[in-house]
Amino acid sequence: MDIHKAFRMKGGVGDNSYSKNSSLQKRVADKVKHITMEAIQQVFLAKKPKSLGIADLGCASGPNALSIIKQVVDAVDNASRAIQQPPPEFRIYLNDLPTNDFNTIFLGLPDLYKELSRGTKPPLYIAACPGTFYGRLFPDHSLHFVYSTNSLHWLSAVPRGIYDEEGRSMNGKSVYISERSPPAVRRAYLQQFQEDLSLFLKSRSRELIRGGRMLLVLLGRTASDHAHCANSFLWELLYQSLAHLVAQGEVEEEKLERYDVHFYAPLKEELEDEVRKEGSFRTEMVEMFEMERADVSGSYGTAVAKAVRCIQESMLAHHFGEGILDKLFHHYAALIDQESVKRDVRSTTALLLLTKL
């Protein structure tokens, strides 16, 4: 499966769209907002550029990306007023894979421009930049600030090392790392993450100016054993839901055994090690924090299932067909409701603030 062609957030503004089911991602962005705004202000005050280049990598679809843009413009505008200097013009690049629904973002631009025009805001130029961030996207030294949230836990590919010599997955009874996964599978996922993050850092080191900042926010874990993490727990429930459809004859068992996700939740130490090995950045901050369970009206399981569906639907439909999706996520929601009574499932998020050397 070509991840770059198959993987995308659910576009549009329908009930199952990313636009309508990305409140968790918004909560994460809001939780780290003070760090984001302070970092961009520090870059502006240190460099005082006339044109400020900013990239949002993995912007997805919907209103979250535009919300961040407004916050950034306001933060820099306030900093420029504090030093009695004209604000810079803004070059803001929204990046995601070519299959991403950029149109839904751009439909919100007139309202954003209207809101910003109420004050004396500086020129603002926004453009889409489709492509994988595991590689170059921008010219040398063209960016001052890079921001990526809820994206870097997605790998460039399912790790090659999980397949045996005949091309069969050694992780056939799981879709991600679980208690049933052999050590080779765990090693393969870590190696893929290391290769991907190293390439990401190398690419951004060419694109950022010296002294530029990069804020990376992604799902992570605090325990060395993947199976005891909330992220792995949700993948396990997805596997159980697929296995339920196998038992009902809705899905072929062989298809389930060939399905693995391109995801990795790193430890704090794994992030720090890659930054140190790559060598182009100084670590200013690295934190791990848990997101409290959101208050929802109605079924908590349904809310989580819709949030997972808007992200995974494209991959599941490509592999199993669209016909199973409603039954799959109905059962998945029921499992989450059952298990959430027994345990408090809280996802762990990693934050990494870097400065280009």
Side-chain angles (χ1 to χ4, degrees):
M1 184 189 303
D2 188 337
I3 299 294
H4 298 160
K5 293 181 178 179
F7 184 52
R8 61 186 177 278
M9 306 298 106
K10 178 72 172 178
V13 293
D15 288 342
N16 293 322
S17 68
Y18 185 84
S19 292
K20 292 291 180 66
N21 296 285
S22 53
S23 60
L24 173 60
Q25 290 84 347
K26 179 67 163 60
R27 288 174 58 226
V28 170
D30 288 345
K31 188 175 181 69
V32 304
K33 175 184 173 181
H34 64 292
I35 299 173
T36 309
M37 298 307 120
E38 182 178 353
I40 187 67
Q41 286 179 329
Q42 288 173 346
V43 172
F44 167 71
L45 293 172
K47 301 298 180 180
K48 299 182 178 65
K50 292 183 178 180
S51 180
L52 190 65
I54 300 170
D56 180 352
L57 305 186
C59 64
S61 180
N64 290 352
L66 296 187
S67 175
I68 294 169
I69 289 174
K70 183 181 184 304
Q71 293 167 6
V72 165
V73 171
D74 286 342
V76 174
D77 191 45
N78 290 337
S80 69
R81 291 174 185 273
I83 61 173
Q84 298 182 336
Q85 177 172 314
E89 66 177 16
F90 290 82
R91 295 174 285 110
I92 298 181
Y93 307 102
L94 302 179
N95 158 261
D96 214 304
L97 293 173
T99 52
N100 184 58
D101 177 19
F102 289 101
N103 286 339
T104 296
I105 301 176
F106 292 147
L107 286 173
L109 283 180
D111 288 339
L112 174 66
Y113 288 138
K114 184 177 180 180
E115 188 171 1
L116 291 176
S117 68
R118 292 171 184 164
T120 56
K121 299 298 183 184
L124 174 63
Y125 306 102
I126 301 175
C129 182
T132 174
F133 50 49
Y134 294 121
R136 291 294 301 274
L137 289 165
F138 308 102
D140 285 355
H141 315 305
S142 60
L143 299 176
H144 297 83
F145 187 72
V146 170
Y147 174 85
S148 178
T149 180
N150 298 295
S151 296
L152 272 171
H153 43 251
W154 298 114
L155 303 174
S156 65
V158 175
R160 298 178 297 277
I162 73 169
Y163 302 106
D164 62 20
E165 295 179 354
E166 297 179 0
R168 293 175 303 192
S169 174
M170 295 183 288
N171 203 34
K173 299 301 180 183
S174 303
V175 297
Y176 181 55
I177 302 169
S178 72
E179 292 178 338
R180 300 179 298 279
S181 301
V185 168
R186 299 166 190 259
R187 291 193 298 269
Y189 268 98
L190 173 58
Q191 181 179 353
Q192 185 69 53
F193 174 78
Q194 291 170 329
E195 292 174 1
D196 284 349
L197 184 57
S198 177
L199 179 56
F200 178 92
L201 294 171
K202 282 183 172 65
S203 301
R204 305 294 83 77
S205 73
R206 295 284 301 276
E207 297 161 354
L208 275 161
I209 65 164
R210 186 182 299 273
R213 290 285 183 95
M214 183 157 63
L215 182 68
L216 309 177
V217 183
L218 64 154
L219 290 172
R221 73 186 199 280
T222 54
S224 58
D225 186 353
H226 289 266
H228 294 146
C229 301
N231 298 320
S232 298
F233 176 68
L234 291 175
W235 288 122
E236 172 63 18
L237 294 186
L238 183 62
Y239 171 80
Q240 291 180 20
S241 300
L242 287 163
H244 173 73
L245 295 185
V246 170
Q248 290 188 327
E250 302 275 355
V251 169
E252 297 175 16
E253 185 173 8
E254 185 265 343
K255 274 196 170 184
L256 175 54
E257 292 183 351
R258 288 191 291 108
Y259 188 72
D260 297 278
V261 297
H262 63 295
F263 173 91
Y264 188 79
L267 289 167
K268 175 183 177 182
E269 293 77 13
E270 292 169 349
L271 288 166
E272 292 173 318
D273 286 348
E274 281 312 304
V275 174
R276 184 167 51 252
K277 285 190 292 184
E278 195 279 328
S280 298
F281 294 90
R282 179 176 67 247
T283 301
E284 305 291 350
M285 181 186 303
V286 55
E287 292 186 0
M288 310 292 285
F289 57 90
E290 288 187 339
M291 292 298 297
E292 294 184 2
R293 175 171 161 173
D295 293 327
V296 298
S297 57
S299 163
Y300 175 72
T302 298
V304 174
K306 289 174 77 70
V308 172
R309 177 171 181 168
C310 74
I311 297 170
Q312 277 293 293
E313 178 172 314
S314 65
M315 300 296 287
L316 290 163
H318 186 275
H319 189 79
F320 298 103
E322 294 185 359
I324 72 161
L325 294 175
D326 288 343
K327 289 183 180 180
L328 171 65
F329 283 102
H330 177 78
H331 189 74
Y332 186 56
L335 282 182
I336 294 171
D337 276 333
Q338 292 173 19
E339 295 298 326
S340 62
V341 174
K342 305 173 188 176
R343 57 183 289 183
D344 184 13
V345 181
R346 297 189 181 190
S347 62
T348 298
T349 297
L351 178 147
L352 191 61
L353 179 61
L354 306 174
T355 297
K356 171 66 168 53
L357 298 174

